[in-house]
Amino acid sequence: MRPMVNAAPSAARLSPPNGVLGANFNGDPKIMTWAGLEQAEATWVRGFAAMPDFDEGDKEDSNSHLAVDTLLGAVNRDYGAVLSLKFPYFPKKNEPIPRPGTEEMKKDLARVDAVLTKVMGEVDLLVIGNEPFIECPEDDRTNGAINDFYEAVAQHVIDYRTKKFPDGCKTVLYMGALNYLDDPKWIHSGTERWMKYVRETPEIEGTDIHPHVNKPDGAQVYLDYILPRLGDKKFLATEFSLVHLWGDHLEEKIPAAYAQKYKVPADTEVWQVIRNALDEAFPKERWYDFLRESPWFEGNKHYLSEQMAKFRATEKLAVATYGIGQDAAMSENEFTEKSTPWLLNSIYASATVRPEPNGHAAPNYAWLEDFKRAQTS
């Protein structure tokens, strides 16, 4: 099955998405620019919005409100748009996930309604949940609470869409997203029920997955789990990367050629170079030399296009999206050997590389060209 060609933004919405690659800003739309999307030849955009930011009376200046507004702006520019609804009950709030019928559940549904009034019929894909099994307490993952909650939210969204758009609606619904399926302890009664609900609920188009892995073929375990359980449904991969492979190399010595060229002590470790780039952004060629001379990165610089080929080969992929930029969460805290190096994934490198002469964020090494290559390959 040939993927839809991302020739121009207007092409993104002519038919249901099939094997599309888009850009993901997660929860920080400020890292994305229309010029950057155009340079990357992207035609789809994805972000998430945290539901607690939509309480009545709250100021509409949060990243979550901006995420919704940005996606609506993308729609107006003829980009395809994917919005994930995030319910961060853990670890940020460290609270049990609400039970249907409770006052807390009613509050969440009111928050959902505040978003639905803006996006239903506008965005192309609405994903119910961001990373549900991470964003709830451990006990609630297997005691039925997480499934009760997200099934109740899904039914509420389905009912809203049916009532407001009785003649049909462009916004289709997915459940999302499953994490850590490469770890057996994250596959259990909760994930089984999740997939059963996806498979058996006509109004749900499929599930999302977030395969952040430590080896080039690491996402295969995710596919092996979901594909037999999808039935005739499809899947999204709104986040995917080799971030854990990068993390495995943070405490290695830097490449000798890099150390010699830039007069850096030979015993400097990878994480220290990244920290130095965050403290004072590097010239582009220095950052490129660092990654180009690192075998663990250079040998995987086509991961994005290679993984997209694997997703598309299933003939079940609707949309995958890849990180567009280095957001504040990647750089605002002191970077150490224990940090998760998300910033190595990004298409643009606003935090570790000096801006281009025109003021735009410089492309991160490798990913911009691989992203463009992956549009049609």
Side-chain angles (χ1 to χ4, degrees), residues 50-59 65 107-108 110-111 114:
M51 293 301 94
D53 291 338
F54 292 89
D55 283 335
E56 186 176 356
D58 277 6
K59 293 182 179 179
H65 284 275
K107 288 180 183 178
D108 264 329
R111 294 160 177 160

Side-chain angles (χ1 to χ4, degrees), residues 97-117:
I97 199 163
R99 274 48 175 178
T102 63
E103 289 304 310
E104 284 302 313
M105 186 78 199
K106 293 176 183 177
K107 288 180 183 178
D108 264 329
L109 295 181
R111 294 160 177 160
V112 170
D113 284 344
V115 177
L116 295 182
T117 58

Side-chain angles (χ1 to χ4, degrees), residues 26-28 31 48 63 278 325-335 339-340 342-343 351:
N26 275 320
D28 187 0
I31 64 174
F48 67 69
N63 273 350
L278 288 170
Q326 297 171 332
D327 64 30
M330 301 176 187
S331 57
E332 63 187 4
N333 297 317
E334 181 73 8
F335 194 91
S339 297
T340 304
W342 298 106
L343 52 81

